Amino acid sequence: MSRDVSVFDIIGPIMVGPSSSHTAGAVRLGQVARAVLGSQPTEALIELHGSFAQTGKGHGTDRGIVAGLLGLATDDPRLRHSFDLAEQAGLRFTIAAVDLGEDAHPNTARITVSDGRRTVQVVGASVGGGLVEIRQVDGYAVSFGCQYDTLLVVAEDRPGTVSQVTGWLAKRGINIAFLRVERDRRGGEAIMVIETDNPIDPVVLEALEDYPWVRWVRQVPRVEA
Amino acid sequence: MFDSIAQLVEAAETQGLPMHEVVIRAEMANSGKPREHLLGRMARRLEIMRRAAAQGISEPVMSISGISGGNAYRFWQWLEAGHQPLTGPILSRAVARAMAVNEVNAGMGCIVATPTAGSAGILPAVLLTLQEARGFSDADLVNALFTASGVGIVIVRRAHVSGAAGGCQAETGSAACMAAAAAVELLGGTPRQAAHAVAITLKNMLGLVCDPVAGLVEVPCVKRNAAGAAQCFIAVDLALAGVESVIPADEVIDAMAQIGRRMDERFKETALGGLAATPTGRRLAEMVWGNKPK
């Protein structure tokens, strides 16, 4: 792990048991999928790989991911009743085992969520102690751990887009900790993953969404351990 | 923050600061948050730890699955009845608290992952028991948690802390050596002695596999937390007496990482090997899951 780990990642999270990787980390993966969708999902396909598939049920991994999709925190005592809460909230979900190959971290989940208008897919791993590592968003290879506020911008891959986006952040006094651009092919679409030291205010998100070359913009809030 | 225990020790020695102060300053620099904020957040964690430990010894806490629980309470009652434990008055109470926190965890109660939920009993047990035995203040314990997290950060950067990635050595092993550094500092040892305690603790726990019955954080996790507290105490006593680890802490951590990488998947939290694959382990899994543990 190359990035800075906080003392509160090590002494934390404060969580409902039984497993930091299989319960708390699962909640966080659900939270990320919810944030990337940007709304309350109404449908979800939760696919579990490796140890998640083998022992996830006993650790409440399934309940945890569903809780995260509903926006619950890792220390929310309602976590064990998340299936009932999902029904009340109108979230239909399916849980399945999947083999994502040898390179995938043993605690990986592929979560496909929809709110009826939009569908997004997030692949992420729970890497221990409640820490997560997001590996894929809508088919784009990414890498972020939610230790920072993270801005995701999917846009046409053409000159000047990065400076426009970072220009807005500079204008609002938001400092960039890490920035990466991944694209599927030249001249197609690209994803910018921008991790920032401070939360990104809604003004920036709205301004970016107004650019015709921007497909979508989402903010994934940092996880407070 | 820190890439090695050696760096942490050197920073403390050259600046003439205790390890916890080095870690607090680094966290202040990284997060941009003031000291009071960090101390407050850590103090809240200490409270949750205390509540979980108290709950598990004051009443029998059963797991959600029903295959384990109530043993911390049973042991505590036995101690309270005046029995003389071979582990002595201090370690025996730490053992009870370590199991207590993990039973609360298995009951889907609230705990603090230190560094993981499966190993959440060790650090609170060691610190709370030292407080009881030697009169340390809550402020002392909060500082000790920063020292422990400094060690944990190094382990995350060099190795693993999850059973799925590195086996139980990565979970209870990490927790025990974090607690060892914190305990050495509390008891007046030097940063160098804390590093030796880290090394000795982890050396004694290398190779430990993660083989949870039915895939649940119960059997053998609860008792392995008790064992982690014991390993910690052995290493702390040795280090305070001036006993040194021949292999430096960072090299032990690297060895743990290598063992973890090469460990068969069956022994890394998949519930396919070890105790999980014994006849009794399989029978319990069938009992919990109806037929197949899937």
Side-chain angles (χ1 to χ4, degrees), chain B residues 110-156:
Chain B
C110 199
I111 54 96
V112 184
T114 54
T116 63
S119 59
I122 297 169
L123 187 57
V126 168
L127 296 187
L128 293 168
T129 304
L130 285 181
Q131 178 173 49
E132 180 184 72
R134 303 286 167 92
F136 295 112
S137 68
D138 280 2
D140 293 334
L141 261 56
V142 167
N143 284 340
L145 287 171
F146 280 97
T147 301
S149 60
V151 172
I153 285 170
V154 171
I155 297 174
V156 164

mmCIF file of all heavy atoms in Angstrom, chain B residues 110-156:
data_model
loop_
_atom_site.group_PDB
_atom_site.id
_atom_site.type_symbol
_atom_site.label_atom_id
_atom_site.label_comp_id
_atom_site.label_asym_id
_atom_site.label_seq_id
_atom_site.Cartn_x
_atom_site.Cartn_y
_atom_site.Cartn_z
ATOM 1 N N CYS B 110 -21.062 -3.892 19.104
ATOM 2 C CA CYS B 110 -20.175 -2.838 18.609
ATOM 3 C C CYS B 110 -18.779 -2.958 19.221
ATOM 4 O O CYS B 110 -18.626 -3.081 20.430
ATOM 5 C CB CYS B 110 -20.781 -1.469 18.922
ATOM 6 S SG CYS B 110 -20.082 -0.174 17.897
ATOM 7 N N ILE B 111 -17.775 -2.945 18.357
ATOM 8 C CA ILE B 111 -16.382 -3.057 18.789
ATOM 9 C C ILE B 111 -15.535 -2.088 17.953
ATOM 10 O O ILE B 111 -16.021 -1.466 17.026
ATOM 11 C CB ILE B 111 -15.836 -4.495 18.609
ATOM 12 C CG1 ILE B 111 -16.028 -4.980 17.152
ATOM 13 C CG2 ILE B 111 -16.523 -5.476 19.551
ATOM 14 C CD1 ILE B 111 -14.863 -4.822 16.262
ATOM 15 N N VAL B 112 -14.252 -2.001 18.318
ATOM 16 C CA VAL B 112 -13.311 -1.245 17.493
ATOM 17 C C VAL B 112 -12.353 -2.252 16.862
ATOM 18 O O VAL B 112 -11.733 -3.047 17.576
ATOM 19 C CB VAL B 112 -12.508 -0.223 18.328
ATOM 20 C CG1 VAL B 112 -11.613 0.614 17.430
ATOM 21 C CG2 VAL B 112 -13.442 0.658 19.137
ATOM 22 N N ALA B 113 -12.247 -2.254 15.566
ATOM 23 C CA ALA B 113 -11.318 -3.151 14.881
ATOM 24 C C ALA B 113 -9.889 -2.696 15.197
ATOM 25 O O ALA B 113 -9.534 -1.555 14.939
ATOM 26 C CB ALA B 113 -11.564 -3.124 13.387
ATOM 27 N N THR B 114 -9.081 -3.580 15.805
ATOM 28 C CA THR B 114 -7.720 -3.202 16.194
ATOM 29 C C THR B 114 -6.719 -4.307 15.879
ATOM 30 O O THR B 114 -6.309 -4.983 16.789
ATOM 31 C CB THR B 114 -7.658 -2.896 17.697
ATOM 32 O OG1 THR B 114 -8.197 -4.037 18.400
ATOM 33 C CG2 THR B 114 -8.440 -1.679 18.086
ATOM 34 N N PRO B 115 -6.186 -4.489 14.707
ATOM 35 C CA PRO B 115 -6.537 -3.735 13.511
ATOM 36 C C PRO B 115 -7.766 -4.298 12.811
ATOM 37 O O PRO B 115 -8.336 -3.640 11.969
ATOM 38 C CB PRO B 115 -5.292 -3.918 12.623
ATOM 39 C CG PRO B 115 -4.768 -5.264 12.991
ATOM 40 C CD PRO B 115 -5.046 -5.416 14.459
ATOM 41 N N THR B 116 -8.177 -5.518 13.188
ATOM 42 C CA THR B 116 -9.344 -6.115 12.541
ATOM 43 C C THR B 116 -10.352 -6.489 13.622
ATOM 44 O O THR B 116 -10.035 -6.456 14.811
ATOM 45 C CB THR B 116 -8.956 -7.392 11.761
ATOM 46 O OG1 THR B 116 -8.467 -8.361 12.700
ATOM 47 C CG2 THR B 116 -7.877 -7.107 10.723
ATOM 48 N N ALA B 117 -11.549 -6.860 13.197
ATOM 49 C CA ALA B 117 -12.569 -7.253 14.162
ATOM 50 C C ALA B 117 -12.220 -8.604 14.783
ATOM 51 O O ALA B 117 -12.413 -8.822 15.973
ATOM 52 C CB ALA B 117 -13.937 -7.302 13.487
ATOM 53 N N GLY B 118 -11.668 -9.499 13.973
ATOM 54 C CA GLY B 118 -11.314 -10.828 14.457
ATOM 55 C C GLY B 118 -10.235 -10.788 15.530
ATOM 56 O O GLY B 118 -10.104 -11.700 16.332
ATOM 57 N N SER B 119 -9.463 -9.718 15.543
ATOM 58 C CA SER B 119 -8.378 -9.577 16.526
ATOM 59 C C SER B 119 -8.649 -8.419 17.479
ATOM 60 O O SER B 119 -7.727 -7.898 18.110
ATOM 61 C CB SER B 119 -7.049 -9.367 15.804
ATOM 62 O OG SER B 119 -7.108 -8.204 14.988
ATOM 63 N N ALA B 120 -9.919 -8.026 17.585
ATOM 64 C CA ALA B 120 -10.258 -6.794 18.316
ATOM 65 C C ALA B 120 -10.142 -6.918 19.821
ATOM 66 O O ALA B 120 -10.254 -5.919 20.533
ATOM 67 C CB ALA B 120 -11.675 -6.351 17.946
ATOM 68 N N GLY B 121 -9.927 -8.130 20.343
ATOM 69 C CA GLY B 121 -9.884 -8.290 21.794
ATOM 70 C C GLY B 121 -8.535 -7.974 22.420
ATOM 71 O O GLY B 121 -8.457 -7.589 23.582
ATOM 72 N N ILE B 122 -7.470 -8.173 21.651
ATOM 73 C CA ILE B 122 -6.120 -8.164 22.233
ATOM 74 C C ILE B 122 -5.706 -6.797 22.782
ATOM 75 O O ILE B 122 -5.335 -6.662 23.955
ATOM 76 C CB ILE B 122 -5.100 -8.685 21.195
ATOM 77 C CG1 ILE B 122 -5.427 -10.151 20.859
ATOM 78 C CG2 ILE B 122 -3.670 -8.555 21.731
ATOM 79 C CD1 ILE B 122 -4.678 -10.705 19.661
ATOM 80 N N LEU B 123 -5.770 -5.780 21.957
ATOM 81 C CA LEU B 123 -5.308 -4.456 22.381
ATOM 82 C C LEU B 123 -6.122 -3.897 23.553
ATOM 83 O O LEU B 123 -5.536 -3.451 24.550
ATOM 84 C CB LEU B 123 -5.299 -3.509 21.167
ATOM 85 C CG LEU B 123 -4.700 -2.121 21.349
ATOM 86 C CD1 LEU B 123 -3.259 -2.177 21.839
ATOM 87 C CD2 LEU B 123 -4.762 -1.351 20.024
ATOM 88 N N PRO B 124 -7.473 -3.932 23.493
ATOM 89 C CA PRO B 124 -8.228 -3.455 24.654
ATOM 90 C C PRO B 124 -7.919 -4.258 25.910
ATOM 91 O O PRO B 124 -7.788 -3.680 26.992
ATOM 92 C CB PRO B 124 -9.699 -3.664 24.257
ATOM 93 C CG PRO B 124 -9.716 -3.903 22.815
ATOM 94 C CD PRO B 124 -8.349 -4.324 22.387
ATOM 95 N N ALA B 125 -7.779 -5.569 25.763
ATOM 96 C CA ALA B 125 -7.528 -6.420 26.929
ATOM 97 C C ALA B 125 -6.212 -6.034 27.595
ATOM 98 O O ALA B 125 -6.136 -5.876 28.817
ATOM 99 C CB ALA B 125 -7.491 -7.889 26.508
ATOM 100 N N VAL B 126 -5.175 -5.873 26.793
ATOM 101 C CA VAL B 126 -3.855 -5.538 27.337
ATOM 102 C C VAL B 126 -3.897 -4.164 28.013
ATOM 103 O O VAL B 126 -3.467 -3.994 29.154
ATOM 104 C CB VAL B 126 -2.787 -5.584 26.220
ATOM 105 C CG1 VAL B 126 -1.469 -4.970 26.682
ATOM 106 C CG2 VAL B 126 -2.567 -7.039 25.766
ATOM 107 N N LEU B 127 -4.441 -3.177 27.325
ATOM 108 C CA LEU B 127 -4.419 -1.809 27.860
ATOM 109 C C LEU B 127 -5.320 -1.658 29.085
ATOM 110 O O LEU B 127 -4.914 -1.080 30.096
ATOM 111 C CB LEU B 127 -4.825 -0.803 26.781
ATOM 112 C CG LEU B 127 -3.876 -0.709 25.576
ATOM 113 C CD1 LEU B 127 -4.292 0.436 24.663
ATOM 114 C CD2 LEU B 127 -2.427 -0.528 26.016
ATOM 115 N N LEU B 128 -6.542 -2.173 29.000
ATOM 116 C CA LEU B 128 -7.469 -2.001 30.122
ATOM 117 C C LEU B 128 -6.989 -2.754 31.357
ATOM 118 O O LEU B 128 -7.166 -2.303 32.491
ATOM 119 C CB LEU B 128 -8.882 -2.466 29.717
ATOM 120 C CG LEU B 128 -9.565 -1.599 28.654
ATOM 121 C CD1 LEU B 128 -10.818 -2.282 28.107
ATOM 122 C CD2 LEU B 128 -9.914 -0.227 29.222
ATOM 123 N N THR B 129 -6.351 -3.900 31.124
ATOM 124 C CA THR B 129 -5.853 -4.673 32.270
ATOM 125 C C THR B 129 -4.633 -3.994 32.890
ATOM 126 O O THR B 129 -4.470 -3.976 34.120
ATOM 127 C CB THR B 129 -5.544 -6.121 31.849
ATOM 128 O OG1 THR B 129 -6.732 -6.681 31.275
ATOM 129 C CG2 THR B 129 -5.123 -6.968 33.026
ATOM 130 N N LEU B 130 -3.774 -3.403 32.067
ATOM 131 C CA LEU B 130 -2.636 -2.654 32.622
ATOM 132 C C LEU B 130 -3.131 -1.439 33.404
ATOM 133 O O LEU B 130 -2.561 -1.071 34.429
ATOM 134 C CB LEU B 130 -1.682 -2.212 31.513
ATOM 135 C CG LEU B 130 -0.791 -3.309 30.909
ATOM 136 C CD1 LEU B 130 0.121 -2.742 29.843
ATOM 137 C CD2 LEU B 130 0.038 -3.987 32.003
ATOM 138 N N GLN B 131 -4.200 -0.821 32.901
ATOM 139 C CA GLN B 131 -4.765 0.321 33.625
ATOM 140 C C GLN B 131 -5.238 -0.115 35.013
ATOM 141 O O GLN B 131 -4.943 0.524 36.017
ATOM 142 C CB GLN B 131 -5.935 0.915 32.842
ATOM 143 C CG GLN B 131 -6.608 2.087 33.566
ATOM 144 C CD GLN B 131 -7.657 2.781 32.719
ATOM 145 O OE1 GLN B 131 -8.520 2.129 32.138
ATOM 146 N NE2 GLN B 131 -7.572 4.097 32.634
ATOM 147 N N GLU B 132 -5.947 -1.243 35.046
ATOM 148 C CA GLU B 132 -6.477 -1.765 36.306
ATOM 149 C C GLU B 132 -5.340 -2.146 37.267
ATOM 150 O O GLU B 132 -5.384 -1.836 38.456
ATOM 151 C CB GLU B 132 -7.323 -3.002 35.988
ATOM 152 C CG GLU B 132 -7.949 -3.681 37.164
ATOM 153 C CD GLU B 132 -8.681 -4.946 36.694
ATOM 154 O OE1 GLU B 132 -8.012 -5.941 36.332
ATOM 155 O OE2 GLU B 132 -9.915 -4.917 36.657
ATOM 156 N N ALA B 133 -4.298 -2.768 36.725
ATOM 157 C CA ALA B 133 -3.227 -3.298 37.570
ATOM 158 C C ALA B 133 -2.223 -2.229 37.991
ATOM 159 O O ALA B 133 -1.669 -2.284 39.083
ATOM 160 C CB ALA B 133 -2.505 -4.433 36.839
ATOM 161 N N ARG B 134 -1.983 -1.266 37.090
ATOM 162 C CA ARG B 134 -0.907 -0.318 37.376
ATOM 163 C C ARG B 134 -1.372 1.139 37.461
ATOM 164 O O ARG B 134 -0.557 2.043 37.569
ATOM 165 C CB ARG B 134 0.182 -0.428 36.297
ATOM 166 C CG ARG B 134 0.791 -1.824 36.139
ATOM 167 C CD ARG B 134 1.738 -2.148 37.300
ATOM 168 N NE ARG B 134 2.089 -3.547 37.349
ATOM 169 C CZ ARG B 134 3.165 -4.079 36.758
ATOM 170 N NH1 ARG B 134 3.969 -3.324 36.065
ATOM 171 N NH2 ARG B 134 3.420 -5.358 36.877
ATOM 172 N N GLY B 135 -2.669 1.354 37.345
ATOM 173 C CA GLY B 135 -3.213 2.696 37.572
ATOM 174 C C GLY B 135 -2.951 3.730 36.492
ATOM 175 O O GLY B 135 -2.888 4.923 36.787
ATOM 176 N N PHE B 136 -2.795 3.321 35.274
ATOM 177 C CA PHE B 136 -2.606 4.308 34.206
ATOM 178 C C PHE B 136 -3.903 5.086 33.969
ATOM 179 O O PHE B 136 -4.996 4.558 34.143
ATOM 180 C CB PHE B 136 -2.180 3.629 32.901
ATOM 181 C CG PHE B 136 -0.835 2.967 33.001
ATOM 182 C CD1 PHE B 136 -0.711 1.582 32.947
ATOM 183 C CD2 PHE B 136 0.310 3.738 33.170
ATOM 184 C CE1 PHE B 136 0.524 0.976 33.072
ATOM 185 C CE2 PHE B 136 1.550 3.131 33.291
ATOM 186 C CZ PHE B 136 1.658 1.746 33.246
ATOM 187 N N SER B 137 -3.750 6.340 33.552
ATOM 188 C CA SER B 137 -4.929 7.183 33.291
ATOM 189 C C SER B 137 -5.480 6.891 31.894
ATOM 190 O O SER B 137 -4.815 6.261 31.068
ATOM 191 C CB SER B 137 -4.533 8.660 33.379
ATOM 192 O OG SER B 137 -3.676 8.984 32.296
ATOM 193 N N ASP B 138 -6.684 7.379 31.659
ATOM 194 C CA ASP B 138 -7.252 7.247 30.313
ATOM 195 C C ASP B 138 -6.378 7.964 29.285
ATOM 196 O O ASP B 138 -6.222 7.496 28.157
ATOM 197 C CB ASP B 138 -8.675 7.828 30.270
ATOM 198 C CG ASP B 138 -9.701 6.854 30.825
ATOM 199 O OD1 ASP B 138 -9.299 5.754 31.266
ATOM 200 O OD2 ASP B 138 -10.899 7.191 30.813
ATOM 201 N N ALA B 139 -5.817 9.109 29.685
ATOM 202 C CA ALA B 139 -4.940 9.846 28.768
ATOM 203 C C ALA B 139 -3.722 8.996 28.387
ATOM 204 O O ALA B 139 -3.282 8.992 27.229
ATOM 205 C CB ALA B 139 -4.497 11.161 29.399
ATOM 206 N N ASP B 140 -3.193 8.250 29.378
ATOM 207 C CA ASP B 140 -2.064 7.348 29.088
ATOM 208 C C ASP B 140 -2.480 6.296 28.058
ATOM 209 O O ASP B 140 -1.736 5.951 27.134
ATOM 210 C CB ASP B 140 -1.614 6.608 30.361
ATOM 211 C CG ASP B 140 -1.007 7.543 31.396
ATOM 212 O OD1 ASP B 140 -0.476 8.604 30.999
ATOM 213 O OD2 ASP B 140 -1.077 7.214 32.599
ATOM 214 N N LEU B 141 -3.688 5.761 28.249
ATOM 215 C CA LEU B 141 -4.164 4.702 27.353
ATOM 216 C C LEU B 141 -4.401 5.234 25.939
ATOM 217 O O LEU B 141 -4.108 4.549 24.948
ATOM 218 C CB LEU B 141 -5.447 4.069 27.903
ATOM 219 C CG LEU B 141 -5.245 2.753 28.661
ATOM 220 C CD1 LEU B 141 -4.271 2.896 29.802
ATOM 221 C CD2 LEU B 141 -6.559 2.192 29.162
ATOM 222 N N VAL B 142 -4.926 6.451 25.859
ATOM 223 C CA VAL B 142 -5.134 7.061 24.534
ATOM 224 C C VAL B 142 -3.781 7.223 23.830
ATOM 225 O O VAL B 142 -3.627 6.878 22.666
ATOM 226 C CB VAL B 142 -5.874 8.418 24.665
ATOM 227 C CG1 VAL B 142 -5.799 9.198 23.361
ATOM 228 C CG2 VAL B 142 -7.332 8.180 25.058
ATOM 229 N N ASN B 143 -2.789 7.701 24.574
ATOM 230 C CA ASN B 143 -1.443 7.807 23.985
ATOM 231 C C ASN B 143 -0.952 6.442 23.520
ATOM 232 O O ASN B 143 -0.386 6.304 22.428
ATOM 233 C CB ASN B 143 -0.458 8.374 25.009
ATOM 234 C CG ASN B 143 -0.634 9.873 25.200
ATOM 235 O OD1 ASN B 143 -1.204 10.549 24.331
ATOM 236 N ND2 ASN B 143 -0.152 10.387 26.313
ATOM 237 N N ALA B 144 -1.171 5.436 24.344
ATOM 238 C CA ALA B 144 -0.710 4.089 23.999
ATOM 239 C C ALA B 144 -1.375 3.593 22.713
ATOM 240 O O ALA B 144 -0.754 2.862 21.924
ATOM 241 C CB ALA B 144 -1.017 3.128 25.148
ATOM 242 N N LEU B 145 -2.613 4.014 22.486
ATOM 243 C CA LEU B 145 -3.300 3.602 21.250
ATOM 244 C C LEU B 145 -2.623 4.214 20.026
ATOM 245 O O LEU B 145 -2.600 3.611 18.947
ATOM 246 C CB LEU B 145 -4.784 3.997 21.304
ATOM 247 C CG LEU B 145 -5.655 3.153 22.251
ATOM 248 C CD1 LEU B 145 -7.050 3.751 22.392
ATOM 249 C CD2 LEU B 145 -5.750 1.708 21.742
ATOM 250 N N PHE B 146 -2.067 5.406 20.187
ATOM 251 C CA PHE B 146 -1.319 5.997 19.062
ATOM 252 C C PHE B 146 -0.030 5.217 18.791
ATOM 253 O O PHE B 146 0.334 4.977 17.639
ATOM 254 C CB PHE B 146 -1.016 7.480 19.340
ATOM 255 C CG PHE B 146 -2.186 8.379 19.064
ATOM 256 C CD1 PHE B 146 -3.025 8.795 20.090
ATOM 257 C CD2 PHE B 146 -2.474 8.792 17.768
ATOM 258 C CE1 PHE B 146 -4.128 9.600 19.842
ATOM 259 C CE2 PHE B 146 -3.577 9.602 17.506
ATOM 260 C CZ PHE B 146 -4.403 10.014 18.541
ATOM 261 N N THR B 147 0.638 4.808 19.857
ATOM 262 C CA THR B 147 1.840 3.990 19.670
ATOM 263 C C THR B 147 1.482 2.695 18.933
ATOM 264 O O THR B 147 2.142 2.305 17.964
ATOM 265 C CB THR B 147 2.465 3.644 21.040
ATOM 266 O OG1 THR B 147 2.787 4.867 21.705
ATOM 267 C CG2 THR B 147 3.717 2.808 20.882
ATOM 268 N N ALA B 148 0.401 2.063 19.388
ATOM 269 C CA ALA B 148 -0.039 0.809 18.756
ATOM 270 C C ALA B 148 -0.359 1.034 17.285
ATOM 271 O O ALA B 148 -0.003 0.222 16.420
ATOM 272 C CB ALA B 148 -1.270 0.270 19.483
ATOM 273 N N SER B 149 -1.004 2.147 16.981
ATOM 274 C CA SER B 149 -1.392 2.370 15.588
ATOM 275 C C SER B 149 -0.168 2.669 14.718
ATOM 276 O O SER B 149 -0.157 2.338 13.537
ATOM 277 C CB SER B 149 -2.441 3.476 15.476
ATOM 278 O OG SER B 149 -1.947 4.677 15.986
ATOM 279 N N GLY B 150 0.864 3.272 15.314
ATOM 280 C CA GLY B 150 2.106 3.487 14.556
ATOM 281 C C GLY B 150 2.674 2.153 14.076
ATOM 282 O O GLY B 150 3.078 2.009 12.914
ATOM 283 N N VAL B 151 2.672 1.169 14.954
ATOM 284 C CA VAL B 151 3.146 -0.173 14.587
ATOM 285 C C VAL B 151 2.223 -0.780 13.524
ATOM 286 O O VAL B 151 2.673 -1.352 12.531
ATOM 287 C CB VAL B 151 3.214 -1.086 15.839
ATOM 288 C CG1 VAL B 151 3.516 -2.529 15.448
ATOM 289 C CG2 VAL B 151 4.254 -0.559 16.821
ATOM 290 N N GLY B 152 0.922 -0.606 13.716
ATOM 291 C CA GLY B 152 -0.050 -1.148 12.761
ATOM 292 C C GLY B 152 0.129 -0.555 11.368
ATOM 293 O O GLY B 152 0.009 -1.260 10.360
ATOM 294 N N ILE B 153 0.405 0.729 11.326
ATOM 295 C CA ILE B 153 0.594 1.388 10.025
ATOM 296 C C ILE B 153 1.791 0.773 9.289
ATOM 297 O O ILE B 153 1.727 0.492 8.094
ATOM 298 C CB ILE B 153 0.772 2.916 10.222
ATOM 299 C CG1 ILE B 153 -0.595 3.544 10.534
ATOM 300 C CG2 ILE B 153 1.389 3.563 8.971
ATOM 301 C CD1 ILE B 153 -0.540 4.986 10.983
ATOM 302 N N VAL B 154 2.858 0.531 10.018
ATOM 303 C CA VAL B 154 4.039 -0.098 9.390
ATOM 304 C C VAL B 154 3.664 -1.476 8.843
ATOM 305 O O VAL B 154 4.040 -1.834 7.720
ATOM 306 C CB VAL B 154 5.207 -0.210 10.396
ATOM 307 C CG1 VAL B 154 6.336 -1.050 9.807
ATOM 308 C CG2 VAL B 154 5.707 1.172 10.800
ATOM 309 N N ILE B 155 2.891 -2.234 9.621
ATOM 310 C CA ILE B 155 2.524 -3.589 9.174
ATOM 311 C C ILE B 155 1.645 -3.525 7.916
ATOM 312 O O ILE B 155 1.843 -4.285 6.974
ATOM 313 C CB ILE B 155 1.816 -4.373 10.306
ATOM 314 C CG1 ILE B 155 2.765 -4.553 11.484
ATOM 315 C CG2 ILE B 155 1.343 -5.745 9.790
ATOM 316 C CD1 ILE B 155 2.134 -5.192 12.704
ATOM 317 N N VAL B 156 0.692 -2.587 7.892
ATOM 318 C CA VAL B 156 -0.164 -2.446 6.706
ATOM 319 C C VAL B 156 0.688 -2.109 5.484
ATOM 320 O O VAL B 156 0.433 -2.589 4.380
ATOM 321 C CB VAL B 156 -1.244 -1.361 6.943
ATOM 322 C CG1 VAL B 156 -1.870 -0.922 5.628
ATOM 323 C CG2 VAL B 156 -2.322 -1.878 7.873
#
